[in-house]
C-alpha cells in the first residue's frame, strides 16, 4: 500500500506507479490510529499538508488538546491545560458567544462540542458550542422541574455516527415511601426540540458518561454498573436500554471513598479503566461482547508516581487512592492522572508506562473538570450553523 501512496517520489525506470486521488488517500488515513497518521506525515509533503488543510483535517484522527478547567471565580472563563503538540490555535474562553453566555459554567464535553449553562442553584440557559469553529446554539427549556432535587444534562455527539447531537436530561425526584426516581428526556438538535419519549428508573444514573455509536453509557458508581441508553428516533415514546456489569472489585465498593474508574472508547468499542485494589497499577478493559470484558492493558503506577504505597484511609476509615484517572485514550496511547498527593496532572504512555507532568493545578483555586478531555472537532455541525 505504501508503494501506491507515495506520490512525491519519481518512479524508477521501467516501473509503473499508481497515483491515488487526495480523497481516497484521506479516506485510507482516516481509518488508521492517530500514532500511525503522525508517522505517515513524514512520508511526503502532500501527506503533511493533509494535517493542516481545513477540509481534510476534519476527516483525519484528531489530536487531543488537553483537559478543560476553570478557576474558582464567578468571572473566570474556561481554560485548557494543553498537552504537548496540541493545536495552539484553539481557545476555550467562549469569546465568540453573546456576552451573557461568556462566563457560563462548563457541564459536559462530547467529541469537541461543549455544553455550558448559567444559573447558581440550578441548570438553566444552556448552550452547545464548538470552540474550534466558533459556532454555538442555545438549548431551550433547560430549567429543572420544581419537584426535582437534582438535574443533570449529558451532551451526546459522535460525528462518525451522525452530524446531529442530543442532550439527555436526567431529573431525580424523591418520592415518599418509594425513594429516588430518575426521569430522562432527550433534546434533538435536528429540530431543536425536546422529545416526548421518557425513561424512568428508581436509581440515579448521573455519573461519568460516554456517547459512542448512538449509545449513551452512564456509570452508576455505587451499583458498579453501566446504563446503556440508545439515542431515540424522532417521535419515539420510550428509550431502549440495558444494564452492563462493570469489571473489577465491585463487591468492595463500600470500603472505598471513590473508585469509579473512567470510560473511553477505541474504534467504537467501549473501554473502561480503573485502579487495581492496591492502586499500584491501572487496568484497561474493552467490552468485547454484550457482557464480556477483556483486559487489554495493565499500566504500572509505582514508577510513574515514584511511590510504592498508593492507597490510604481518610478520617472516616474509608480507603482512597492517591490518584484519579481523569481520562484515557487507547488510540492515542494516553492515560491522564491527577496525582492528588503531589498536586500534579500527569500524562502517561500506555505502551511504555512512562509519565510526564504537564500541569500543576492548585486545587484551592481551580476546578479541574473531571474527565472533560477535549479533542477539537473542525467539521460543521448543522444545528450550530443556524
Amino acid at each position: 500500500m505504501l508503494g501506491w501512496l507515495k506520490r512525491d517520489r519519481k518512479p524508477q525506470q521501467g516501473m509503473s506507479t499508481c497515483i491515488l486521488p487526495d480523497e481516497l488517500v484521506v479516506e485510507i488515513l482516516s481509518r488508521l490510529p492517530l500514532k500511525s497518521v503522525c508517522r505517515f506525515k513524514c512520508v511526503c509533503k502532500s501527506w503533511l499538508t493533509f494535517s493542516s488543510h481545513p477540509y481534510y483535517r476534519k476527516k483525519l484522527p484528531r489530536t487531543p488538546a488537553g483537559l478543560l478547567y476553570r478557576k474558582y471565580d464567578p468571572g473566570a472563563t474556561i481554560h485548557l491545560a494543553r498537552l504537548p503538540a496540541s493545536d495552539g490555535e484553539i481557545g476555550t474562553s467562549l469569546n465568540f458567544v453573546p456576552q451573557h453566555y461568556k462566563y457560563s459554567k462548563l457541564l459536559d464535553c462530547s467529541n469537541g462540542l461543549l455544553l455550558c449553562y448559567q444559573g447558581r442553584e440550578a441548570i438553566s440557559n444552556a448552550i452547545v458550542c464548538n470552540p474550534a469553529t466558533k459556532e454555538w446554539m442555545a438549548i431551550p427549556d433547560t430549567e429543572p422541574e420544581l419537584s426535582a432535587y437534582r438535574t443533570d444534562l449529558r451532551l451526546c455527539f459522535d460525528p462518525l455516527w451522525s452530524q446531529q447531537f442530543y442532550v439527555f436530561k436526567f431529573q431525580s425526584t424523591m418520592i415518599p415511601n418509594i425513594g429516588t426516581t430518575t426521569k430522562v428526556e432527550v433534546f434533538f438538535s435536528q429540530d431543536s426540540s425536546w422529545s416526548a419519549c421518557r425513561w424512568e428508573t428508581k436509581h440515579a444514573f448521573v455519573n461519568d458518561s460516554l456517547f459512542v455509536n448512538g449509545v449513551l453509557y452512564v456509570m452508576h458508581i455505587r451499583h458498579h454498573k453501566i446504563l446503556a441508553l440508545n439515542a431515540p428516533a424522532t417521535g419515539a415514546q420510550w428509550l431502549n436500554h440495558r444494564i452492563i456489569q462493570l469489571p473489577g472489585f465491585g463487591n468492595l465498593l463500600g470500603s472505598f471513598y471513590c473508585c469509579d474508574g473512567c470510560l473511553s472508547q477505541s474504534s467504537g468499542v467501549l473501554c473502561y479503566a480503573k485502579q487495581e485494589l492496591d492502586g499500584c497499577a491501572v487496568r484497561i478493559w474493552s467490552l468485547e461482547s454484550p457482557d464480556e470484558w477483556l483486559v487489554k492493558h495493565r499500566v504500572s503506577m509505582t514508577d510513574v508516581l515514584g511511590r510504592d504505597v498508593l492507597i490510604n484511609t481518610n478520617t472516616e476509615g474509608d480507603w482512597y487512592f492517591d490518584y484519579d484517572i481523569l481520562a484515557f485514550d487507547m488510540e492515542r496511547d494516553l492515560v491522564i492522572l491527577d496525582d492528588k498527593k503531589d498536586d500534579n496532572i500527569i500524562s502517561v504512555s500506555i505502551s511504555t508506562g512512562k509519565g510526564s507532568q504537564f500541569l500543576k493545578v492548585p486545587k484551592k483555586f481551580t476546578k479541574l473538570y473531571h474527565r472533560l478531555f477535549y479533542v477539537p472537532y473542525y467539521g460543521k455541525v448543522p444545528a450550530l450553523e443556524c
Side-chain angles (χ1 to χ4, degrees):
M1 183 184 293
L2 289 178
W4 294 352
L5 299 180
K6 292 180 180 178
R7 299 160 10 106
D8 286 356
R9 295 186 179 182
K10 295 181 179 180
Q12 297 180 2
Q13 187 174 2
M15 296 180 62
S16 61
T17 183
C18 178
I19 299 178
L20 299 181
D22 289 347
E23 289 282 356
L24 185 55
V25 174
V26 172
E27 182 65 24
I28 295 172
L29 295 180
S30 67
R31 301 174 185 272
L32 299 175
L34 176 64
K35 183 182 293 185
S36 298
V37 174
C38 293
R39 289 173 178 171
F40 290 165
K41 290 179 183 179
C42 302
V43 170
C44 59
K45 293 180 180 179
S46 60
W47 285 21
L48 180 62
T49 60
F50 289 148
S51 62
S52 57
H53 193 286
Y55 177 74
Y56 296 126
R57 182 169 56 178
K58 65 183 180 181
K59 296 186 177 183
L60 296 176
R62 294 171 288 143
T63 304
L67 289 171
L68 299 164
Y69 70 95
R70 183 175 62 84
K71 295 181 179 179
Y72 282 124
D73 185 341
T77 57
I78 300 168
H79 297 276
L80 179 66
R82 299 183 184 277
L83 289 167
S86 65
D87 190 342
E89 298 179 357
I90 296 295
T92 56
S93 61
L94 303 186
N95 56 3
F96 56 92
V97 301
Q99 184 66 28
H100 61 283
Y101 286 122
K102 188 173 182 180
Y103 300 108
S104 296
K105 301 173 184 177
L106 180 61
L107 182 64
D108 201 3
C109 178
S110 182
N111 285 301
L113 301 188
L114 307 186
L115 175 62
C116 306
Y117 75 99
Q118 295 281 345
R120 294 181 177 272
E121 302 297 331
I123 296 172
S124 60
N125 298 320
I127 62 171
V128 171
C129 60
N130 185 351
T133 61
K134 300 187 183 305
E135 296 172 320
W136 70 281
M137 73 170 291
I139 306 299
D141 304 325
T142 51
E143 286 73 14
E145 296 180 0
L146 294 178
S147 60
Y149 77 89
R150 177 172 177 175
T151 299
D152 290 270
L153 302 182
R154 289 293 181 266
L155 177 62
C156 300
F157 176 62
D158 184 356
L160 298 179
W161 181 73
S162 172
Q163 292 300 307
Q164 306 298 326
F165 67 82
Y166 303 83
V167 176
F168 281 66
K169 181 195 288 185
F170 295 80
Q171 295 196 102
S172 300
T173 305
M174 289 293 295
I175 300 178
N177 302 322
I178 296 179
T180 301
T181 63
T182 300
K183 180 177 63 177
V184 184
E185 297 180 82
V186 183
F187 173 82
F188 292 83
S189 69
Q190 186 172 8
D191 56 5
S192 189
S193 66
W194 289 93
S195 71
C197 65
R198 295 178 179 232
W199 181 83
E200 296 187 10
T201 177
K202 293 183 179 180
H203 304 292
F205 285 85
V206 288
N207 301 121
D208 187 26
S209 63
L210 181 72
F211 187 70
V212 184
N213 292 332
V215 180
L216 174 63
Y217 299 97
V218 187
M219 280 204 307
H220 191 300
I221 296 176
R222 291 302 174 189
H223 290 78
H224 201 58
K225 296 178 180 179
I226 293 178
L227 166 67
L229 283 169
N230 290 61
T234 304
Q237 297 297 314
W238 295 97
L239 295 174
N240 294 325
H241 73 281
R242 66 188 180 97
I243 303 296
I244 304 171
Q245 186 70 42
L246 284 168
F249 51 93
N251 59 326
L252 298 177
L253 282 176
S255 304
F256 281 82
Y257 177 68
C258 184
C259 54
D260 51 331
C262 185
L263 296 176
S264 184
Q265 65 90 23
S266 177
S267 300
V269 177
L270 183 66
C271 300
Y272 176 66
K274 189 171 67 173
Q275 299 95 327
E276 291 184 352
L277 194 57
D278 60 1
C280 292
V282 169
R283 288 195 185 189
I284 299 177
W285 291 265
S286 65
L287 188 63
E288 299 299 320
S289 69
D291 298 302
E292 181 184 2
W293 292 93
L294 179 65
V295 176
K296 305 293 289 187
H297 299 279
R298 183 180 184 273
V299 185
S300 175
M301 294 289 106
T302 53
D303 292 337
V304 172
L305 300 176
R307 304 188 298 272
D308 293 328
V309 179
L310 299 173
I311 190 171
N312 287 287
T313 57
N314 58 20
T315 55
E316 298 179 355
D318 294 325
W319 293 94
Y320 68 92
F321 297 114
D322 282 353
Y323 64 95
D324 284 334
I325 306 170
L326 294 179
F328 75 100
D329 193 319
M330 288 168 47
E331 294 178 355
R332 296 166 176 87
D333 190 45
L334 185 68
V335 175
I336 298 181
L337 306 175
D338 178 7
D339 183 0
K340 294 182 288 187
K341 186 173 183 179
D342 290 341
D343 206 20
N344 293 327
I345 307 300
I346 299 173
S347 171
V348 182
S349 168
I350 295 176
S351 59
T352 66
K354 295 181 179 179
S356 60
Q357 174 186 336
F358 74 91
L359 178 68
K360 188 173 182 67
V361 180
K363 302 303 189 311
K364 184 178 180 180
F365 304 105
T366 305
K367 169 65 175 177
L368 186 66
Y369 290 101
H370 196 42
R371 298 186 187 89
L372 291 196
F373 190 43
Y374 178 61
V375 182
Y377 178 65
Y378 297 95
K380 295 293 184 180
V381 181
L384 301 184
E385 296 183 66
C386 300

PDB file of all heavy atoms in Angstrom, residues 261-262 273-275 282-283 323-328 335-338 370-371:
ATOM      1  N   GLY A 261     -13.558   4.666  38.464  1.00  0.00           N
ATOM      2  CA  GLY A 261     -12.942   4.377  37.183  1.00  0.00           C
ATOM      3  C   GLY A 261     -13.295   5.408  36.129  1.00  0.00           C
ATOM      4  O   GLY A 261     -13.785   6.491  36.426  1.00  0.00           O
ATOM      5  N   CYS A 262     -13.071   5.050  34.867  1.00  0.00           N
ATOM      6  CA  CYS A 262     -13.212   6.019  33.782  1.00  0.00           C
ATOM      7  C   CYS A 262     -13.608   5.297  32.504  1.00  0.00           C
ATOM      8  O   CYS A 262     -13.132   4.190  32.236  1.00  0.00           O
ATOM      9  CB  CYS A 262     -11.885   6.753  33.609  1.00  0.00           C
ATOM     10  SG  CYS A 262     -11.906   8.087  32.407  1.00  0.00           S
ATOM     11  N   ALA A 273     -11.336   1.898  32.450  1.00  0.00           N
ATOM     12  CA  ALA A 273     -10.064   1.868  33.171  1.00  0.00           C
ATOM     13  C   ALA A 273     -10.309   2.103  34.652  1.00  0.00           C
ATOM     14  O   ALA A 273     -11.116   2.958  35.028  1.00  0.00           O
ATOM     15  CB  ALA A 273      -9.109   2.926  32.622  1.00  0.00           C
ATOM     16  N   LYS A 274      -9.607   1.343  35.493  1.00  0.00           N
ATOM     17  CA  LYS A 274      -9.737   1.506  36.933  1.00  0.00           C
ATOM     18  C   LYS A 274      -8.478   0.996  37.624  1.00  0.00           C
ATOM     19  O   LYS A 274      -7.771   0.118  37.113  1.00  0.00           O
ATOM     20  CB  LYS A 274     -10.965   0.770  37.467  1.00  0.00           C
ATOM     21  CG  LYS A 274     -11.262   1.087  38.931  1.00  0.00           C
ATOM     22  CD  LYS A 274     -12.595   0.522  39.379  1.00  0.00           C
ATOM     23  CE  LYS A 274     -12.593  -0.984  39.414  1.00  0.00           C
ATOM     24  NZ  LYS A 274     -13.845  -1.521  40.002  1.00  0.00           N
ATOM     25  N   GLN A 275      -8.189   1.553  38.799  1.00  0.00           N
ATOM     26  CA  GLN A 275      -7.056   1.109  39.587  1.00  0.00           C
ATOM     27  C   GLN A 275      -7.278  -0.320  40.094  1.00  0.00           C
ATOM     28  O   GLN A 275      -8.411  -0.726  40.349  1.00  0.00           O
ATOM     29  CB  GLN A 275      -6.836   2.034  40.794  1.00  0.00           C
ATOM     30  CG  GLN A 275      -6.539   3.465  40.446  1.00  0.00           C
ATOM     31  CD  GLN A 275      -7.778   4.346  40.458  1.00  0.00           C
ATOM     32  OE1 GLN A 275      -8.868   3.889  40.132  1.00  0.00           O
ATOM     33  NE2 GLN A 275      -7.621   5.612  40.817  1.00  0.00           N
ATOM     34  N   VAL A 282      -2.999   0.305  36.876  1.00  0.00           N
ATOM     35  CA  VAL A 282      -4.294   0.601  36.257  1.00  0.00           C
ATOM     36  C   VAL A 282      -4.561  -0.449  35.195  1.00  0.00           C
ATOM     37  O   VAL A 282      -3.698  -0.733  34.360  1.00  0.00           O
ATOM     38  CB  VAL A 282      -4.296   2.006  35.625  1.00  0.00           C
ATOM     39  CG1 VAL A 282      -5.528   2.212  34.744  1.00  0.00           C
ATOM     40  CG2 VAL A 282      -4.238   3.074  36.705  1.00  0.00           C
ATOM     41  N   ARG A 283      -5.729  -1.027  35.249  1.00  0.00           N
ATOM     42  CA  ARG A 283      -6.136  -1.979  34.223  1.00  0.00           C
ATOM     43  C   ARG A 283      -7.112  -1.316  33.264  1.00  0.00           C
ATOM     44  O   ARG A 283      -7.952  -0.516  33.669  1.00  0.00           O
ATOM     45  CB  ARG A 283      -6.794  -3.212  34.852  1.00  0.00           C
ATOM     46  CG  ARG A 283      -5.831  -4.128  35.579  1.00  0.00           C
ATOM     47  CD  ARG A 283      -6.463  -5.480  35.854  1.00  0.00           C
ATOM     48  NE  ARG A 283      -5.589  -6.317  36.653  1.00  0.00           N
ATOM     49  CZ  ARG A 283      -5.813  -7.604  36.901  1.00  0.00           C
ATOM     50  NH1 ARG A 283      -6.913  -8.176  36.412  1.00  0.00           N
ATOM     51  NH2 ARG A 283      -4.982  -8.301  37.636  1.00  0.00           N
ATOM     52  N   TYR A 323      -4.380   8.875  43.619  1.00  0.00           N
ATOM     53  CA  TYR A 323      -4.506   9.485  42.292  1.00  0.00           C
ATOM     54  C   TYR A 323      -5.840   9.084  41.675  1.00  0.00           C
ATOM     55  O   TYR A 323      -6.428   8.060  42.021  1.00  0.00           O
ATOM     56  CB  TYR A 323      -3.355   9.048  41.383  1.00  0.00           C
ATOM     57  CG  TYR A 323      -3.343   7.557  41.088  1.00  0.00           C
ATOM     58  CD1 TYR A 323      -3.932   7.048  39.932  1.00  0.00           C
ATOM     59  CD2 TYR A 323      -2.760   6.652  41.975  1.00  0.00           C
ATOM     60  CE1 TYR A 323      -3.936   5.695  39.665  1.00  0.00           C
ATOM     61  CE2 TYR A 323      -2.756   5.291  41.718  1.00  0.00           C
ATOM     62  CZ  TYR A 323      -3.349   4.820  40.564  1.00  0.00           C
ATOM     63  OH  TYR A 323      -3.363   3.469  40.309  1.00  0.00           O
ATOM     64  N   ASP A 324      -6.323   9.923  40.769  1.00  0.00           N
ATOM     65  CA  ASP A 324      -7.532   9.645  40.000  1.00  0.00           C
ATOM     66  C   ASP A 324      -7.174   9.475  38.531  1.00  0.00           C
ATOM     67  O   ASP A 324      -6.211  10.083  38.032  1.00  0.00           O
ATOM     68  CB  ASP A 324      -8.547  10.788  40.128  1.00  0.00           C
ATOM     69  CG  ASP A 324      -9.264  10.774  41.468  1.00  0.00           C
ATOM     70  OD1 ASP A 324      -9.366   9.698  42.070  1.00  0.00           O
ATOM     71  OD2 ASP A 324      -9.699  11.859  41.906  1.00  0.00           O
ATOM     72  N   ILE A 325      -7.962   8.667  37.838  1.00  0.00           N
ATOM     73  CA  ILE A 325      -7.827   8.551  36.383  1.00  0.00           C
ATOM     74  C   ILE A 325      -8.754   9.589  35.769  1.00  0.00           C
ATOM     75  O   ILE A 325      -9.981   9.455  35.819  1.00  0.00           O
ATOM     76  CB  ILE A 325      -8.199   7.142  35.904  1.00  0.00           C
ATOM     77  CG1 ILE A 325      -7.403   6.077  36.660  1.00  0.00           C
ATOM     78  CG2 ILE A 325      -7.968   7.009  34.396  1.00  0.00           C
ATOM     79  CD1 ILE A 325      -7.891   4.665  36.416  1.00  0.00           C
ATOM     80  N   LEU A 326      -8.184  10.642  35.204  1.00  0.00           N
ATOM     81  CA  LEU A 326      -9.007  11.712  34.636  1.00  0.00           C
ATOM     82  C   LEU A 326      -9.520  11.358  33.248  1.00  0.00           C
ATOM     83  O   LEU A 326     -10.646  11.695  32.883  1.00  0.00           O
ATOM     84  CB  LEU A 326      -8.200  13.010  34.570  1.00  0.00           C
ATOM     85  CG  LEU A 326      -7.794  13.616  35.911  1.00  0.00           C
ATOM     86  CD1 LEU A 326      -6.977  14.874  35.695  1.00  0.00           C
ATOM     87  CD2 LEU A 326      -9.017  13.928  36.754  1.00  0.00           C
ATOM     88  N   ALA A 327      -8.681  10.696  32.448  1.00  0.00           N
ATOM     89  CA  ALA A 327      -9.066  10.342  31.088  1.00  0.00           C
ATOM     90  C   ALA A 327      -8.070   9.329  30.552  1.00  0.00           C
ATOM     91  O   ALA A 327      -6.943   9.234  31.038  1.00  0.00           O
ATOM     92  CB  ALA A 327      -9.091  11.576  30.177  1.00  0.00           C
ATOM     93  N   PHE A 328      -8.493   8.581  29.539  1.00  0.00           N
ATOM     94  CA  PHE A 328      -7.563   7.704  28.831  1.00  0.00           C
ATOM     95  C   PHE A 328      -8.044   7.514  27.408  1.00  0.00           C
ATOM     96  O   PHE A 328      -9.232   7.654  27.114  1.00  0.00           O
ATOM     97  CB  PHE A 328      -7.396   6.361  29.547  1.00  0.00           C
ATOM     98  CG  PHE A 328      -8.558   5.417  29.397  1.00  0.00           C
ATOM     99  CD1 PHE A 328      -8.527   4.368  28.487  1.00  0.00           C
ATOM    100  CD2 PHE A 328      -9.693   5.555  30.185  1.00  0.00           C
ATOM    101  CE1 PHE A 328      -9.586   3.494  28.360  1.00  0.00           C
ATOM    102  CE2 PHE A 328     -10.771   4.693  30.076  1.00  0.00           C
ATOM    103  CZ  PHE A 328     -10.712   3.647  29.152  1.00  0.00           C
ATOM    104  N   VAL A 335      -2.921   7.944  29.025  1.00  0.00           N
ATOM    105  CA  VAL A 335      -3.696   7.978  30.254  1.00  0.00           C
ATOM    106  C   VAL A 335      -3.335   9.258  30.992  1.00  0.00           C
ATOM    107  O   VAL A 335      -2.150   9.599  31.111  1.00  0.00           O
ATOM    108  CB  VAL A 335      -3.395   6.770  31.169  1.00  0.00           C
ATOM    109  CG1 VAL A 335      -4.135   6.905  32.505  1.00  0.00           C
ATOM    110  CG2 VAL A 335      -3.804   5.479  30.498  1.00  0.00           C
ATOM    111  N   ILE A 336      -4.331   9.996  31.481  1.00  0.00           N
ATOM    112  CA  ILE A 336      -4.081  11.231  32.227  1.00  0.00           C
ATOM    113  C   ILE A 336      -4.498  11.021  33.669  1.00  0.00           C
ATOM    114  O   ILE A 336      -5.625  10.617  33.951  1.00  0.00           O
ATOM    115  CB  ILE A 336      -4.829  12.423  31.611  1.00  0.00           C
ATOM    116  CG1 ILE A 336      -4.342  12.659  30.175  1.00  0.00           C
ATOM    117  CG2 ILE A 336      -4.616  13.679  32.437  1.00  0.00           C
ATOM    118  CD1 ILE A 336      -5.000  13.812  29.486  1.00  0.00           C
ATOM    119  N   LEU A 337      -3.569  11.296  34.592  1.00  0.00           N
ATOM    120  CA  LEU A 337      -3.789  11.069  36.017  1.00  0.00           C
ATOM    121  C   LEU A 337      -3.760  12.380  36.781  1.00  0.00           C
ATOM    122  O   LEU A 337      -3.040  13.313  36.425  1.00  0.00           O
ATOM    123  CB  LEU A 337      -2.694  10.150  36.580  1.00  0.00           C
ATOM    124  CG  LEU A 337      -2.471   8.805  35.887  1.00  0.00           C
ATOM    125  CD1 LEU A 337      -1.278   8.103  36.504  1.00  0.00           C
ATOM    126  CD2 LEU A 337      -3.711   7.945  35.964  1.00  0.00           C
ATOM    127  N   ASP A 338      -4.532  12.410  37.856  1.00  0.00           N
ATOM    128  CA  ASP A 338      -4.481  13.504  38.820  1.00  0.00           C
ATOM    129  C   ASP A 338      -3.777  12.965  40.068  1.00  0.00           C
ATOM    130  O   ASP A 338      -4.362  12.216  40.847  1.00  0.00           O
ATOM    131  CB  ASP A 338      -5.900  13.978  39.153  1.00  0.00           C
ATOM    132  CG  ASP A 338      -5.909  15.088  40.205  1.00  0.00           C
ATOM    133  OD1 ASP A 338      -4.825  15.576  40.577  1.00  0.00           O
ATOM    134  OD2 ASP A 338      -7.007  15.457  40.657  1.00  0.00           O
ATOM    135  N   HIS A 370     -13.687  17.037  35.890  1.00  0.00           N
ATOM    136  CA  HIS A 370     -13.357  15.626  35.910  1.00  0.00           C
ATOM    137  C   HIS A 370     -13.690  14.963  34.575  1.00  0.00           C
ATOM    138  O   HIS A 370     -14.833  14.947  34.140  1.00  0.00           O
ATOM    139  CB  HIS A 370     -14.121  14.954  37.043  1.00  0.00           C
ATOM    140  CG  HIS A 370     -13.602  13.610  37.412  1.00  0.00           C
ATOM    141  ND1 HIS A 370     -12.258  13.333  37.510  1.00  0.00           N
ATOM    142  CD2 HIS A 370     -14.242  12.451  37.706  1.00  0.00           C
ATOM    143  CE1 HIS A 370     -12.103  12.070  37.869  1.00  0.00           C
ATOM    144  NE2 HIS A 370     -13.292  11.509  37.982  1.00  0.00           N
ATOM    145  N   ARG A 371     -12.669  14.475  33.924  1.00  0.00           N
ATOM    146  CA  ARG A 371     -12.784  13.686  32.697  1.00  0.00           C
ATOM    147  C   ARG A 371     -13.247  14.475  31.476  1.00  0.00           C
ATOM    148  O   ARG A 371     -13.672  13.883  30.504  1.00  0.00           O
ATOM    149  CB  ARG A 371     -13.713  12.495  32.900  1.00  0.00           C
ATOM    150  CG  ARG A 371     -13.200  11.545  33.951  1.00  0.00           C
ATOM    151  CD  ARG A 371     -14.056  10.310  34.024  1.00  0.00           C
ATOM    152  NE  ARG A 371     -13.634   9.501  35.150  1.00  0.00           N
ATOM    153  CZ  ARG A 371     -14.110   9.634  36.377  1.00  0.00           C
ATOM    154  NH1 ARG A 371     -15.024  10.549  36.604  1.00  0.00           N
ATOM    155  NH2 ARG A 371     -13.668   8.882  37.345  1.00  0.00           N
TER     156      ARG A 371
END
